Amino acid sequence: MPRARLRQRKVDAAAETVLRLRRPRPAVWDTIVEAAASSGPEVYWSAQQVLIQAGRAAAPYADQLADRLDSLLRDPHDYLIGQLAFALAGIGDVRAMPGLHRLAVQGRLWRDGGHAAPALAALPAAELLPLLRRDLVAEQAAGGNAFALSVLAALGPEAAPALPEVVACLEGPYAHGAARVLGRIGPAAAPAAGRLAEFATGAGRPPGPYGPDARGVWRGVRMAAWAHSRVTGDDSLALRGYAADLASGRGSRVLPYLADFGPAAAPHTAAVRALIHSPGAWTRVAAAHAWWRITGDPELAVPVLLAAVDPEWDGHVAYPTPLAVRHLGEIGAPAAVARPVLTRLLERETRLDYAWERHRILADDAFTRTLTEALAGIGSHIPG
């Protein structure tokens, strides 16, 4: 068999291993990086697809990856720039920035790495903001950029310098994402308070399919109300709107917001308690969390949340296991009864096999972080 074919099989086998196992032997990652960061002509698709989502696993190879990226930036054949740049971003290495800027200039940032957007959150905000602001401006004709807004939302108050670009996105199809970013920024987004209030009350709405002539309610009304409260510090407008939702049978849609308000949402505890017995698992989890955040009483919430943790969860997004785990960790020591099942999930050798391959490592790493943080919140020993 030709040597190239043998090497191809070795690389494909290594990629399959890191997609299947949470803790593969270091030599397996050696094979992936050698194939994807080699200066030779052979670059394998399978290696690229796992490298872009490697996260901290790529840390031992940072210099090698950065050198390869630097060489490609001086070469017109830049097919691998996105994978290398996102791999470096996932470990917080600022040497990713020239590659990310090249992708942004070419309009490829979200196309090459949209599924790996969480990797950018590891980079310093000061490095990311010029990139994301330019991307939003470049995409204004299309109403903004959902990719850039998702990263800005993760930055929270550090996204404040991008306020002009985010506010402009309120007037397009990505207004929902822009409102989320403004709420995460908080008081520094005060110039947008008036427009958010219009959206929250129905006095105004963004253009597009849910614009002024649309019959349905704009889907971002509740998000705009939440953002208005976070920007202004006044929760009265949001709570009035959420009360109307509860009264009209749409309470499941506002439970996450009520949880965020905590004790300020105390007038709605009866409605929240009733939703704990909803037939829908997502609603039960959200109601249990809201109950605990509002009342501080874990006795009713913990059994409901624990029941939603599937000890065999395989990554299927239809089930709220990760959310229930996160909420149990927030409750802390009173949720100690969840320790065995959370430990079992964390000690599992195989990754979540339901997630598609281009997202599997990212999804599994996010879940293991959620489990680790939950066990730490409960006060448990974290398995090595």
Side-chain angles (χ1 to χ4, degrees), residues 124-148:
E127 296 285 346
L128 279 176
L129 283 170
L131 172 78
L132 298 172
R133 295 179 71 179
R134 182 172 66 186
D135 214 41
L136 285 177
V137 170
E139 296 290 339
Q140 279 303 305
N145 187 309
F147 173 86

Side-chain angles (χ1 to χ4, degrees), residues 312-333:
E312 303 297 333
W313 189 65
D314 63 357
H316 198 302
V317 295
Y319 302 97
T321 289
L323 192 60
V325 169
R326 184 177 300 115
H327 295 335
L328 287 165
E330 292 172 13
I331 291 174

Side-chain angles (χ1 to χ4, degrees), residues 16-22 53 310-317 319 345 348-365 367-368:
E16 290 174 5
T17 298
V18 298
L19 284 168
R20 182 172 55 87
L21 299 179
R22 282 182 177 169
Q53 51 180 322
D310 180 358
E312 303 297 333
W313 189 65
D314 63 357
H316 198 302
V317 295
Y319 302 97
L345 284 164
R348 192 165 61 188
E349 292 295 326
T350 56
R351 296 190 186 275
L352 304 173
D353 59 9
Y354 190 85
W356 56 304
E357 289 187 355
R358 294 186 70 200
H359 190 257
R360 184 173 301 159
I361 298 174
L362 291 167
D364 190 70
D365 285 353
F367 186 49
T368 57

Side-chain angles (χ1 to χ4, degrees), residues 297-318:
D297 174 21
E299 187 174 347
L300 185 61
V302 169
V304 175
L305 295 172
L306 183 58
V309 178
D310 180 358
E312 303 297 333
W313 189 65
D314 63 357
H316 198 302
V317 295

Side-chain angles (χ1 to χ4, degrees), residues 72-84:
L72 285 177
L73 288 170
R74 291 183 269 107
D75 189 316
H77 303 293
D78 58 356
Y79 48 86
L80 192 56
I81 283 176
Q83 283 79 6
L84 294 169

Side-chain angles (χ1 to χ4, degrees), residues 11 26 51 53 71 94 111 141-142 166 176 198 214 261 285 316 322 354:
V11 173
L51 182 64
Q53 51 180 322
S71 69
V94 296
R111 293 182 180 89
V166 177
H176 185 278
E198 291 178 358
F261 285 115
V285 167
H316 198 302
Y354 190 85

Side-chain angles (χ1 to χ4, degrees), residues 97-227:
M97 294 310 303
L100 296 175
H101 279 287
R102 168 76 72 83
L103 295 176
V105 167
Q106 296 176 344
R108 291 170 44 196
L109 187 61
W110 67 272
R111 293 182 180 89
D112 282 31
H115 64 286
L120 296 189
L123 290 166
E127 296 285 346
L128 279 176
L129 283 170
L131 172 78
L132 298 172
R133 295 179 71 179
R134 182 172 66 186
D135 214 41
L136 285 177
V137 170
E139 296 290 339
Q140 279 303 305
N145 187 309
F147 173 86
L149 290 171
S150 69
V151 179
L152 287 169
L155 295 179
E158 290 184 297
L163 187 61
E165 293 80 13
V166 177
V167 170
C169 288
L170 282 177
E171 308 306 327
Y174 297 119
H176 185 278
R180 176 184 285 109
V181 176
L182 294 169
R184 296 279 178 83
I185 290 174
R195 191 60 169 151
L196 289 171
E198 291 178 358
F199 288 173
T201 59
R205 58 167 69 193
Y210 297 97
D213 298 326
R215 293 182 179 180
V217 176
W218 177 53
R219 71 184 184 94
V221 166
R222 299 171 189 88
M223 178 63 74
W226 171 82

